[in-house]
Amino acid sequence: MRRNIDAWWPQVEAGVEAILMTASGCGATVKEYGHLLRHDPAYAAKAARVSALTRDLSEILPAFEAELRARLKGKIDTRVAYHPPCTLQHGQQIRGKVEGLLRALGVDVRLCADSQLCCGSAGTYSLLQPELARRLRDDKLAKLAATGAELIVSANIGCQSHLQAGTVTPVQHWIELIDHAL
């Protein structure tokens, strides 16, 4: 945490508007730096500032919706299943933004049944509890497959890797879908 703060601090002092996170697990943790380092006399104030500046990509991109919609018009015709990571929906309390933005951009995006449930990755959980993690993953993949999607997107590399290990359906970060279309 301290090394990250030290690395970002020159940009913070230079007036950056946000520290942008594309992996929801990282964002959830960085947003907690202020709390985690609150008793550190050398880092408490800096950590609080870094936490306050940290934003998930889904919090920033809606401001560019009109421009993105114009540039993407008709370019994404794939049905997509979105898996909202626990770290985004429960950790950061961000719900509906990714799928809302994708829909606004013309993407046929579907949530699966029980979309609020974990895919089984949960950081090191998939390493420490592999049997249970696989059962959760397989259940999630069956529900994602039921959407009829040709592609699964998420907002966390852990979820992406874990889900991809159990399916031939491509799994990627949702911003990659937009990037490829641009």
Side-chain angles (χ1 to χ4, degrees):
M1 288 184 285
R2 291 174 185 93
R3 280 194 297 262
N4 283 342
I5 292 168
D6 289 342
W8 294 326
W9 199 249
Q11 287 78 27
V12 171
E13 287 185 310
V16 298
E17 295 177 39
I19 298 172
L20 187 62
M21 294 288 158
T22 57
S24 63
C26 296
T29 300
V30 175
K31 286 181 176 185
E32 291 294 318
Y33 279 13
H35 174 74
L36 295 169
L37 293 175
R38 68 189 179 281
H39 300 300
D40 184 322
Y43 280 88
K46 288 180 177 181
R49 181 73 179 128
V50 164
S51 290
L53 286 170
T54 301
R55 296 286 178 272
D56 184 78
L57 183 61
S58 67
E59 295 177 285
I60 300 291
L61 275 190
F64 302 94
E65 181 182 312
E67 179 184 345
L68 286 168
R69 189 173 38 248
R71 293 184 67 196
L72 292 172
K73 190 171 183 122
K75 289 187 177 179
I76 303 174
D77 60 1
T78 304
R79 177 178 289 172
V80 174
Y82 173 60
H83 165 65
C86 296
T87 49
L88 191 63
Q89 60 179 333
H90 305 304
Q92 296 187 56
Q93 300 295 308
I94 298 173
R95 295 181 183 94
K97 287 188 183 264
V98 172
E99 57 271 37
L101 178 63
L102 291 173
R103 285 184 186 117
L105 298 178
V107 178
D108 180 3
V109 63
R110 310 287 173 95
L111 288 172
C112 69
D114 297 326
S115 64
Q116 79 282 2
L117 297 180
C118 182
C119 69
S121 175
T124 59
Y125 185 80
S126 61
L127 300 174
L128 300 173
Q129 300 290 330
E131 230 176 273
L132 185 53
R134 273 192 300 277
R135 284 196 312 247
L136 289 168
R137 180 196 67 204
D138 293 346
D139 181 60
K140 177 64 75 165
L141 285 170
K143 290 175 179 172
L144 288 164
T147 68
E150 304 163 60
L151 173 68
I152 299 168
V153 297
S154 191
N156 194 313
I157 187 66
C159 298
Q160 291 165 236
S161 298
H162 186 61
L163 291 169
Q164 189 65 80
T167 185
V168 295
T169 302
V171 181
Q172 64 186 41
H173 195 287
W174 65 270
I175 197 61
E176 291 178 279
L177 175 68
I178 293 172
D179 181 55
H180 292 149
L182 289 173

